[in-house]
Amino acid sequence: MSDWLIYRGEGDPAPDRIGALPPPPPWRTFAGEPTGLPVPEPDSSTTRRLGGRPLLPVQDEEAIQLINAALYLRRPLLVTGEPGSGKSTLAHAVAQELGLGRVLQWSVVSRTELKQGLYEYDAIARLQDAQLSRERGGPDAPGAHDIGEYIKLGPLGTALLPAERPRVLLIDELDKSDIDLPNDLLNVLEEGEFRIPELERAAKREGGAATEVLDDDGRTVPVSGGRVRCRAFPFVVMTSNGERDFPRPLLRRCIRLHLEPPRNERLAALVHAHFGEGAHEVNRDLLERFGRGDDGLRPTDELLNAIFLTQHTDAKGGNRREEIARLLMRPLEQHPPQR
């Protein structure tokens, strides 16, 4: 394995390796003042996706090199591939191996707007609190200093906080977005910062004092002058199922990686992680059946479901592997139509 690789796809945590990442190129250098916040612990979503054991090493040299290119160049990684090919799991694998903590997840739908990923301002709650304050004999309106109580940073906004270590941000299914969202993302990802107008106005009234807001991890963080400026650019994974094309300016600013559906070693590593050592050998018949399928849209959780059920039927003395495999792993066009 080449010495230049920071992420190696080996599965075992190596948090010190991120410290060997060289400084960014001059055109990707950011200078936000560090907050000093510790890296949050991984949450259950990483365990669900990766299993409770380290993944077996999977040598996919091209994918590993492209992931490292994104780390070195501080560029987003645009990952394409069919559903079930492991696009979202990739972000969790990098976070686990490099000790980058909880993965920030932003799931995109057709109504998603850029501001939702950056921050939310609950103006209605602030007005209601002001009304309650007046009814109780308090001030007529809340002061500028407490506006931070009604602002919460979204996943993208939290990823751009000025941390010393990069956060991992998963922007899932970007191809489902409105046509404007990819273009709107361009400036934020290029500049590594964004404005919060409500806090900018408050900062002017308060003489530039920092305002404390909540981030996506539920922590209180200071924002100075109404601007969030990153320090270590986050490792951004944007996934796409190929349902639409993206604008060329966005493509030029991304490292592009295409994942084929998992087969052979990748499937064995997945089964090992979720069911333990030797599970891929015991269930080789199911692995082979899954690998023979010509339906590229079949998700890998069908295989995991089949293995889980066969383990329990085998434990009860019944051998129903063939029946379970036939029911759960048949091609999609053979499923009964929905009523």
Side-chain angles (χ1 to χ4, degrees), residues 148-188:
E149 298 178 17
Y150 305 95
I151 290 178
K152 181 179 179 182
L153 300 180
L156 175 57
T158 300
L160 293 175
L161 285 170
E164 292 288 355
R165 295 163 66 88
R167 294 296 302 271
V168 176
L169 170 66
L170 172 62
I171 304 179
D172 210 12
E173 299 189 330
L174 183 60
D175 53 330
K176 290 186 177 179
S177 70
D178 178 84
I179 192 171
D180 293 326
L181 181 60
N183 283 317
D184 293 342
L185 273 171
L186 276 175
N187 185 62
V188 174

Side-chain angles (χ1 to χ4, degrees), residues 76 106 108-118 156-157 160 169 171 174 177-195 233 236 238 244-251 253-254:
W106 185 20
V108 173
V109 297
S110 60
R111 302 177 302 278
T112 300
E113 298 178 353
L114 176 64
K115 185 178 177 181
Q116 295 171 316
L118 295 174
L156 175 57
L160 293 175
L169 170 66
I171 304 179
L174 183 60
S177 70
D178 178 84
I179 192 171
D180 293 326
L181 181 60
N183 283 317
D184 293 342
L185 273 171
L186 276 175
N187 185 62
V188 174
L189 295 178
E190 190 66 15
E191 300 302 326
E193 65 177 67
F194 66 96
R195 299 166 51 248
F233 190 78
V236 181
M238 301 187 296
R244 56 170 290 192
D245 295 327
F246 294 114
R248 293 187 65 84
L250 178 68
L251 295 177
R253 290 168 173 82
C254 293

Side-chain angles (χ1 to χ4, degrees), residues 207-223:
T211 304
E212 291 189 337
V213 302
L214 284 179
D215 68 2
D216 194 64
D217 299 307
R219 305 176 298 182
T220 301
V221 297
V223 175

